[in-house]
Amino acid sequence: NELFKQALSSAGGKLGSMASSDERHPVLVDQSQDGKYVAVFDALEGSHCLDMGIATGTIFGIYEASEECLAADDADLDSAAERCLMQTLQPASNLVAAGYCMYSSSTMLVISTGDGVNGFTLDAQAGEFILTHPDMCIKPRGKIFSVDEARISNWAAPLQKYIALLKSGKGESGVKYSGRHIGSTVADVHRTILYGGIYAVPADGVGAEAA
């Protein structure tokens, strides 16, 4: 998290503020800069998988701020801080860029600026990301569903029925789906983009902290 904050803080004056899943409040980059963008990120999603050698990653999004953010790192949520917070709580339709990095047998950067999705693989010797997966597009149909079935008893009845249909091959496609759930969002989403299928985190009433 600290590495990302440091890197984003030196983004050439483009960034005004950022919000991390590890920070209580939005973080002001530099009041002397007039950055108009807001970065939101989870620096190491799937960190609980590190000890198991499972792929982890970084999730990020970039928004354009509608006004200057003046909240300090240790500020209480006064009116200025609340306005700053609202800059980071925009709907996904407002994103100007979004993507993820995946750290596994190779390091990949997958990003969209609103016109398609492209994947880049890190060439460690050159120190550059090389375009290896141009115009990534999920297949219309897949054969894999990725959900945490341990919580299925808490799901809505129609969703439970839908998953049962997928597993039995009685869904719309008539194909039996296989369950694949790594538990690392970046890894599960990356597989779904490459091979098709369904990835979901259904509402279960357990709460975000427990999830």
Side-chain angles (χ1 to χ4, degrees):
N1 185 63
E2 291 302 316
L3 287 174
F4 269 86
K5 287 170 61 179
Q6 292 173 16
L8 289 170
S9 294
S10 58
K14 302 294 185 181
L15 198 67
S17 61
M18 66 183 89
S20 164
S21 60
D22 294 326
E23 300 286 338
R24 182 180 178 186
H25 298 156
V27 178
L28 179 65
V29 173
D30 187 342
Q31 293 192 48
S32 67
Q33 300 183 19
D34 190 24
K36 68 174 183 177
Y37 292 103
V38 178
V40 294
F41 61 90
D42 185 343
L44 192 58
E45 192 285 322
S47 56
H48 61 283
C49 297
L50 286 173
D51 291 344
M52 297 176 283
I54 293 174
T56 57
T58 297
I59 305 170
F60 64 89
I62 307 292
Y63 294 101
E64 188 168 357
S66 59
E67 61 182 73
E68 186 177 5
C69 180
L70 296 174
D73 288 6
D74 57 353
D76 292 328
L77 282 181
D78 55 18
S79 58
E82 287 180 358
R83 289 196 299 272
C84 182
L85 177 61
M86 292 305 297
Q87 300 289 342
T88 68
L89 297 176
Q90 300 183 50
S93 57
N94 287 358
L95 284 164
V96 296
Y100 59 85
C101 289
M102 185 175 69
Y103 315 120
S104 184
S105 56
S106 61
T107 298
M108 284 198 66
L109 167 65
V110 179
I111 187 169
S112 174
T113 55
D115 184 18
V117 178
N118 292 289
F120 301 81
T121 301
L122 178 64
D123 184 326
Q125 291 185 333
E128 297 179 350
F129 280 92
I130 309 299
L131 178 63
T132 54
H133 295 68
D135 196 23
M136 297 173 69
C137 187
I138 190 169
K139 296 179 180 179
R141 289 285 185 183
K143 299 180 180 180
I144 299 172
F145 70 93
S146 181
V147 293
D148 184 358
E149 287 192 87
R151 303 179 185 275
I152 193 169
S153 62
N154 296 322
W155 298 350
L159 181 56
Q160 294 186 37
K161 180 179 179 181
Y162 176 67
I163 294 299
L165 290 173
L166 292 180
K167 294 165 67 175
S168 65
K170 297 179 181 179
E172 185 177 335
S173 67
V175 174
K176 281 188 177 182
Y177 277 54
S178 298
R180 299 284 188 275
H181 184 68
I182 299 171
S184 170
T185 297
V186 169
D188 283 317
V189 168
H190 189 69
R191 182 196 58 244
T192 303
I193 292 175
L194 291 181
Y195 302 119
I198 298 169
Y199 171 76
V201 183
D204 57 15
V206 175
E209 292 186 3

